[in-house]
Amino acid sequence: MYLQRCCLSTVDSQHKMTLQWTVVAIFLYVEIAVILILCLPFISAKRWRSLFNLSIWNWFAPYWNRGFFTMILILIILFCDALREVRKYSNAEPMGEAKLNPNLFDHLHMKLFRAQRNLYISGFSLFLWLVMRRVVTLINHVAVATVTGTSLQTQAESANQAAKKYQEDNLLLKQALLDEEKNTTAGKRLLRKEAEKLMEELKTAEDAVRKSNAEVEAMKRQANGLTKEYDRLLTKHNELQNLQAGAGDKKEQ
């Protein structure tokens, strides 16, 4: 009797469940396509960031967080519903009753398979939804780090050029100082003061160069860390795609 009630309730809601799980499956395929596009190697992070900064996205910005958490809540509810269905059809009581009727046994296994399929679809959809947001965030961070590193590199090159100019001026002043050693003591003191002043400026410029180089190295390390995180997420995505392909093969069998 328990199994018959389960089968009747399932048949009554079969059309509704098929429609909602079809939507979830389409959403899963869209997530996979979007993540694959985001992981294309020939599209740089700076180009993705320029696309994300288009004015059209400003219309959706006030509703993005709400939509994101709403979708998480919907997927969690669907995941729990699929888990409940799996437990219901895996229960020992209906399995024992189904053995007495071969048709009901096959029907029960079909419902169990559908419940497990829905569980995989909702679980992968939820996971890829979180991964997709993380990938977008990492792309923005990599783009910002690249722009900042380029700016710091330009500042370091400017500081290097200024340091070279100061060094050349210092050498010229030293040569002039050697040439003016035969002049009066007052002239020598004046030249020495100018040389000391330029030496202080050179020291300041060298400190600025070292500071800029240190900042560039820090940004490079940060960019390398973000690249490693990006590669790790790409590897996880490939593993999930392989698992999805395995689940699809099981379904075809």
Side-chain angles (χ1 to χ4, degrees), residues 77-138:
I77 292 174
L78 292 175
F79 181 81
C80 293
D81 181 69
L83 184 62
R84 180 184 61 81
E85 292 291 325
V86 170
R87 290 181 176 178
K88 180 175 71 175
Y89 292 116
S90 300
N91 195 357
E93 182 178 352
M95 290 295 291
E97 295 179 5
K99 290 180 179 179
L100 302 177
N101 191 335
N103 293 329
L104 290 178
F105 186 77
D106 293 338
H107 185 72
L108 180 63
H109 272 279
M110 180 186 68
K111 294 301 180 182
L112 179 61
F113 171 76
R114 289 182 179 179
Q116 291 174 345
R117 178 200 60 188
N118 296 337
L119 181 67
Y120 293 144
I121 290 174
S122 60
F124 281 123
S125 298
L126 178 60
F127 181 76
L128 290 180
W129 183 244
L130 298 174
V131 169
M132 185 169 63
R133 175 161 182 170
R134 182 60 177 168
V135 169
V136 172
T137 303
L138 287 175

Side-chain angles (χ1 to χ4, degrees), residues 7-65:
C7 293
L8 290 175
S9 63
T10 305
V11 171
D12 293 338
S13 61
Q14 182 177 2
H15 180 71
K16 180 179 179 181
M17 294 296 292
T18 301
L19 178 61
Q20 73 179 24
W21 288 113
T22 301
V23 173
V24 176
I26 294 173
F27 181 73
L28 176 61
Y29 295 145
V30 171
E31 286 180 323
I32 294 173
V34 171
I35 292 178
L36 286 176
I37 293 173
L38 291 175
C39 295
L40 291 176
F42 54 84
I43 302 179
S44 63
K46 293 174 63 176
R47 185 171 297 179
W48 278 121
R49 189 167 185 266
S50 63
L51 292 176
F52 295 154
N53 290 333
L54 293 176
S55 59
I56 188 173
W57 301 113
N58 294 330
W59 300 347
F60 302 99
Y63 310 102
W64 167 243
N65 288 330

